Amino acid sequence: MGTLDWLVVGGYFFVMVGIGWWSRGRIANVVDFFTAGGKMPWWLSGISHHMSGYSAVMFVAFASEAYRLGLTVYVWWALTIGIGIGIGAFLFAARWNRLRSKHGVASPLEYLARRYNVPAQQLMAWSGSVLKVVDIAAKWSAVAILLRGFAGVPIWVGILVVGVVTMIYSVMGGLWADALTDFGQFIIQGAAGIVMFVAVAAHFGGLQFMWEIWDKLPAANSEPLREPYTATFFMALFVIKTLEYNGGMWNLAQRYMAAPSGREAKRSAILSAVLWLVWPLILFFPMWAAPLIVPDLLNAGDAYIELGKVMLPAGMIGLVLAGFFSHTMAMVSSDANVITAVITRDILPRMWKGARRLTEAAQLKLARITTFSFIGLSMLMAVSLDTNGGVLKVVVDLVAATMGPIAVPLMLGMLPWFRRMGPTAAISSTLGGLSVWAVLYISQQTGVAVAKEALVAYPLLTSLVLFLVVGLVKPERSTQRDELIDSLSSDEADKPTEPETVRARA
């Protein structure tokens, strides 16, 4: 990297901190910090939803799979997410928004105490919080690997630099800062992605490279699914991503909650779905062509780095690297915000009664301290994470495999078709799915051959079956739960009532 590249990266960091400082003035209370007060325009909510869904892992782990295996990574990853969000636009997006507008919910898990009970809420809160720390640690490692590859910066220094910048604007500006930096990052990574795409197209003499490269690559590279990504893996991941990207990944639920209404939340989901179907193609085509430009790489995880060194002029490497940062910082800042919401709204009040008596100013201060602590802990974990193939393993084997058991009762609990399922079904579903994953994962670590599709599909299937069967055998339907579920069906007020929050009713 040259001086111009470093200036581009430094300027990017400066702008991100500036946005955080500006957003600080829009935060009056903890509700503003976590949900932007329900005032976020639908298009900003949709772009933020899209940007918060992937990170620099895209340019390390998934780029590696695109380099090695070809088309399949788009099919089992981006395509499942895009279609899943499109389905969720009609099932989940508006319901998340109505939890905020009708029930004062500021955390995606806050409604669970009333929908099921406090133990069910706490089980999912603790399980998901631990999972997120590990997930974000993997993403810090991914962006640090890229920084090391382009500039020779040690892994720990890369984690520290990117982490501190993210920490500053996240602590200051809350969800408003997240969304506004998401938009800025959307512009930056858009420019970076197009620069790389155009450079590769020019190398091959035009846009015809998009269909001509497949004749020059191994025949298997054009197959929609290939080992180890089988049809079973695809179907399991499709269900997981549908749940995950419609709110099972808690920070994405926040984007729907931040829109002005359920109708606007639905529009934001449709925008995000379209972006997921189209934009990854722009990012992946250079990687699909990379074996023809930088062949025989010993470490496929360096594919995007080596391609950038060959194809990009001075200054453009800095822009592309800023695009890498943008992905990770967008996801981490939004994850930090939602984990803070879960901790301060759902976990701490059950552990410390004094948390319920805090003033608005004290609650906001606590939220900022928790955000700082979460990001710091994830950075410490990232420093110790295995970076030689460990990133994809964490993202798929751990995060994707355990997301289903946590998301099944959270997401299906909002839908009227599952109103019979109560706290026993929810707890059984989560514990059963996580237990199956633990057995498979431990077996894998001890040398037992466990297929990737089994590690992802079996915990999800167990969770779904237990949720349905236990709910049917032991239905726990109640008037209070029915009222909550029915209230999420439309934006119109059900009947005049005094304002109350789910917490007050729980």
Side-chain angles (χ1 to χ4, degrees), residues 2 17 26 32 35 71-73 76 89 98 105 111 147 167 172 238 242 248-249 288 315 333 394 419 432:
V17 172
R26 301 180 68 90
D32 290 340
T35 66
L71 180 64
T72 185
V73 68
W76 63 257
R98 291 162 192 152
V105 167
Y111 94 101
L147 187 56
M167 185 183 288
M172 285 193 297
F238 173 70
T242 299
M249 189 189 297
W288 291 329
S333 61
V394 169
R419 63 175 75 239

Side-chain angles (χ1 to χ4, degrees), residues 10 13 33 82 114 137 153 162 200 208 263 278 319-320 329 342 362 396 441 451 498 504:
F13 285 156
F33 193 83
R114 179 181 168 196
V153 175
V162 182
V200 171
Q208 70 273 10
R263 180 173 176 272
V278 175
L319 180 64
V320 170
M329 294 168 74
V342 169
V396 175
Y441 188 77
E498 293 183 6

Side-chain angles (χ1 to χ4, degrees), residues 28-31 357-366:
N29 52 50
V30 74
V31 176
R357 298 190 295 269
L358 293 176
T359 64
E360 284 194 351
Q363 289 179 26
L364 183 56
K365 183 177 180 180
L366 177 62

Side-chain angles (χ1 to χ4, degrees), residues 98-313:
R98 291 162 192 152
L99 282 170
R100 175 197 58 77
S101 63
K102 292 189 175 186
H103 302 286
V105 167
S107 152
L109 302 194
E110 198 170 338
Y111 94 101
L112 292 176
R114 179 181 168 196
R115 175 58 183 87
Y116 300 117
N117 60 16
V118 172
Q121 179 203 42
Q122 293 298 294
L123 173 62
M124 283 178 257
W126 281 98
S127 301
S129 297
V130 172
L131 170 64
K132 269 301 171 189
V133 174
V134 179
D135 181 28
I136 295 307
K139 292 171 173 59
W140 287 136
S141 294
V143 76
I145 289 170
L146 293 167
L147 187 56
R148 180 184 62 183
F150 276 115
V153 175
I155 290 289
W156 72 270
V157 175
I159 292 171
L160 181 65
V161 171
V162 182
V164 168
V165 173
T166 306
M167 185 183 288
I168 291 172
Y169 77 73
S170 297
V171 169
M172 285 193 297
L175 191 63
W176 268 117
D178 293 345
L180 291 170
T181 52
D182 283 347
F183 181 71
Q185 290 155 0
F186 176 73
I187 301 299
I188 291 171
Q189 65 107 319
I194 290 172
V195 164
M196 180 67 86
F197 181 87
V198 170
V200 171
H203 176 81
F204 288 102
L207 292 178
Q208 70 273 10
F209 89 96
M210 291 189 291
W211 52 89
E212 290 180 350
I213 59 173
W214 303 107
D215 294 331
K216 303 174 185 178
L217 294 166
N221 281 35
S222 59
E223 294 178 3
L225 294 172
R226 58 180 294 193
E227 292 289 346
Y229 306 109
T230 63
T232 302
F233 177 87
F234 171 83
M235 292 305 299
L237 204 67
F238 173 70
V239 175
I240 289 171
K241 293 303 179 183
T242 299
L243 295 173
E244 181 181 353
Y245 279 75
N246 285 295
M249 189 189 297
W250 303 337
N251 59 307
L252 299 182
Q254 277 186 305
R255 271 56 189 171
Y256 298 147
M257 295 167 72
S261 67
R263 180 173 176 272
E264 298 292 272
K266 178 180 177 181
R267 294 176 70 186
S268 71
I270 292 172
L271 173 59
S272 181
V274 172
L275 289 173
W276 268 105
L277 293 173
V278 175
W279 182 245
L281 290 172
I282 303 298
L283 299 178
F284 276 134
F285 262 109
M287 294 316 307
W288 291 329
L292 304 176
I293 303 174
V294 285
D296 304 321
L297 292 178
L298 295 178
N299 182 7
D302 293 334
Y304 211 96
I305 297 170
E306 297 304 320
L307 187 67
K309 289 179 178 179
V310 171
M311 303 303 301
L312 299 177

Side-chain angles (χ1 to χ4, degrees), residues 55-61 130-146 155 159 328 331-332 335 374 377-399:
S55 66
V57 172
M58 162 81 182
F59 302 99
V60 177
V130 172
L131 170 64
K132 269 301 171 189
V133 174
V134 179
D135 181 28
I136 295 307
K139 292 171 173 59
W140 287 136
S141 294
V143 76
I145 289 170
L146 293 167
I155 290 289
I159 292 171
T328 300
M331 177 171 277
V332 171
D335 275 332
F374 169 78
L377 179 60
S378 67
M379 289 164 61
L380 287 175
M381 185 172 292
V383 172
S384 62
L385 185 69
D386 171 28
T387 57
N388 296 314
V391 174
L392 185 62
K393 191 172 185 62
V394 169
V395 171
V396 175
D397 292 358
L398 195 156
V399 178

